[in-house]
Amino acid sequence: MNTVLTPSAVPFPPASGGWREGDPPGHRQWHLQDKSLPLEAGGELPGVRLAFETWGRLSPDGSNAVLVLHALTGDSHVAGPAGPGHPTPGWWDGLIGAGLALDPHRWFVVAPNVLGGCQGSTGPSSPRPDGPAWGSSFPFLTQRDQVAAEAGLADALGIGRWALVIGGSMGGMRALEWAVSYPERTDALLLLATSAAASAEQIAWADIQAQAIRGDPNWRGGDYHDAAPGNGPHAGLGQARRLAHVTYRSEPELAVRFGRAPQGTEDPWDGGRYQVRSYLDHHAAKLVRRFDAGSYVTLSQAMNSHDVGRGRGGTRSALGRVTARTLVAGVDSDRLYPTSQQAELAAGIPTADHLRVIESPYGHDGFLIEVEQVAALVSELIG
């Protein structure tokens, strides 16, 4: 397994890149649920805590609340600079702010870190109620479990109905589950680069990434959180990120950006790297410093479990439950979540119109990068 880390990864990262107790809280708030969360696969999860961030204020009638749901390696920090407690700037920084599509002077925006994540919410790197990290004993989660936890957060905030629920990729899976599980609590819905169910190919890519992590000797069966810096499953997590990142971008973009060029003075015929490998190494090194390998596996498994029609009479029946005003958009260059999957959603949701297409050379990541096009869709729904 490739263990190369870029110079930015020295000194060695901690065993887990997730947020830990005692780290700066940043702009996070927390909600601790007073009851254990029943899980779809059986059993229950005690001590559920969700980290979240907010922008704006809830109106007296509670009608201005917007729920923003992040993708696999995202977190609650949708907007704002990097700083203490926040290793990266906001991942949709151009969407929330004065004069933007989600203006905090008008909207109360809520962004939770997903259950099973690693940036303040309960996940494998979190302490169990009896002290040590959950690690390998963290239970299997589904998207429905995660949405049930988010419904508890909404209750705690006094939000009976969302003016808009928006998400892309994994966040889009949860946004769809919100509209199907709680149609009476979802007024408008924006689904981006997502699907009604995880496809065989999506499951395959996610499983390969999880196997890369599990194959790292420092994985230790998932119980590595007390390891010394540099002794976590960084190689496996980095390799998972490399694999994923190729699927997130498009072949034409990689060809234009990198082609077959070597990295600087390195010679690929003599142990050196091509530029594209240097690019992937860079993203791998960044992720191991801000993410937890156990969360990566847990969330990948939850994504693979995604099937909105499970136990609901199939996809068509489940989509028929949606009553929210809905827009569905795909990215024209997305090879991981092709637009045919979004077309199925647009055709099956009674309140959706034709499929919208985000034009982008950046592949699946286009829903994150083409913020102006996403903002236009938001404004169309709730402008």
Side-chain angles (χ1 to χ4, degrees):
M1 183 178 294
N2 190 339
T3 59
V4 173
L5 294 175
T6 67
S8 62
V10 180
F12 293 116
S16 169
W19 187 91
R20 297 284 190 100
E21 297 292 339
D23 289 346
H27 297 287
R28 292 175 184 82
Q29 305 172 58
W30 280 272
H31 167 61
L32 179 61
Q33 301 203 10
D34 56 3
K35 295 181 180 178
S36 295
L37 180 72
L39 301 177
E40 187 181 4
E44 57 185 26
L45 180 62
V48 168
R49 187 175 74 163
L50 290 187
F52 65 100
E53 293 180 50
T54 64
W55 296 260
R57 293 185 179 182
L58 187 64
S59 61
D61 63 0
S63 63
N64 69 333
V66 174
L67 180 63
V68 178
L69 301 174
H70 67 76
L72 172 60
T73 60
D75 54 32
S76 63
H77 197 52
V78 183
H86 300 296
T88 56
W91 49 270
W92 253 350
D93 216 19
L95 200 63
I96 302 173
L100 300 178
L102 295 177
D103 191 327
H105 293 101
R106 179 182 177 190
W107 301 107
F108 178 58
V109 183
V110 181
N113 180 215
V114 68
L115 180 67
C118 62
Q119 286 296 328
S121 291
T122 299
S125 61
S126 304
R128 298 171 55 105
D130 58 1
W134 278 97
S136 63
S137 61
F138 194 76
F140 183 93
L141 297 179
T142 68
Q143 306 289 317
R144 297 182 194 179
D145 300 327
Q146 294 164 336
V147 168
E150 291 163 2
L153 170 62
D155 292 342
L157 294 174
I159 299 169
R161 185 175 177 87
W162 297 103
L164 171 66
V165 179
I166 175 175
S169 193
M170 185 185 81
M173 295 176 180
R174 303 206 316 282
L176 179 60
E177 277 292 343
W178 259 100
V180 173
S181 297
Y182 304 97
E184 74 286 354
R185 303 188 70 168
T186 311
D187 191 46
L189 177 68
L190 180 53
L191 302 175
L192 303 167
T194 194
S195 64
S199 70
E201 184 176 30
Q202 289 157 357
I203 292 171
W205 279 118
D207 190 62
I208 291 169
Q209 293 162 41
Q211 290 301 330
I213 293 172
R214 293 189 181 107
D216 187 324
N218 288 332
W219 169 246
R220 298 183 181 89
D223 295 314
Y224 58 85
H225 293 93
D226 59 352
N231 290 329
H234 304 128
L237 179 57
Q239 195 74 326
R241 182 61 166 179
R242 291 180 183 90
L243 288 163
H245 204 75
V246 173
T247 71
Y248 295 160
R249 311 302 282 226
S250 73
E251 190 279 334
E253 183 219 356
L254 296 178
V256 169
R257 288 183 67 180
F258 306 112
R260 296 182 45 78
Q263 175 63 22
T265 59
E266 296 183 33
D267 181 1
W269 286 28
D270 190 28
R273 298 174 298 171
Y274 290 99
Q275 282 186 5
V276 69
R277 177 181 166 187
S278 174
Y279 168 74
L280 296 176
D281 286 347
H282 171 72
H283 282 280
K286 283 176 60 179
L287 188 73
V288 301
R289 288 194 164 275
R290 69 171 183 85
F291 213 77
D292 177 65
S295 279
Y296 199 103
V297 171
T298 294
L299 299 182
S300 295
Q301 290 176 328
M303 292 176 71
N304 285 351
S305 79
H306 173 59
D307 180 358
V308 75
R310 183 178 60 250
R312 293 167 171 158
T315 297
R316 181 180 295 273
S317 175
L319 296 180
R321 297 187 184 195
V322 178
T323 60
R325 301 185 321 277
T326 302
L327 290 180
V328 183
V331 181
D332 59 0
S333 58
D334 191 343
R335 55 182 173 182
L336 182 60
Y337 286 78
T339 54
S340 59
Q341 295 183 337
Q342 292 88 60
E344 178 186 23
L345 292 172
I349 295 174
T351 51
D353 61 6
H354 65 281
L355 172 66
R356 311 305 175 88
V357 177
I358 295 172
E359 297 179 356
S360 176
Y362 300 114
H364 186 59
D365 275 354
F367 83 90
L368 294 169
I369 296 170
E370 308 293 353
V371 180
E372 289 186 5
Q373 295 183 59
V374 172
L377 296 172
V378 171
S379 296
E380 185 177 345
L381 271 174
I382 61 172

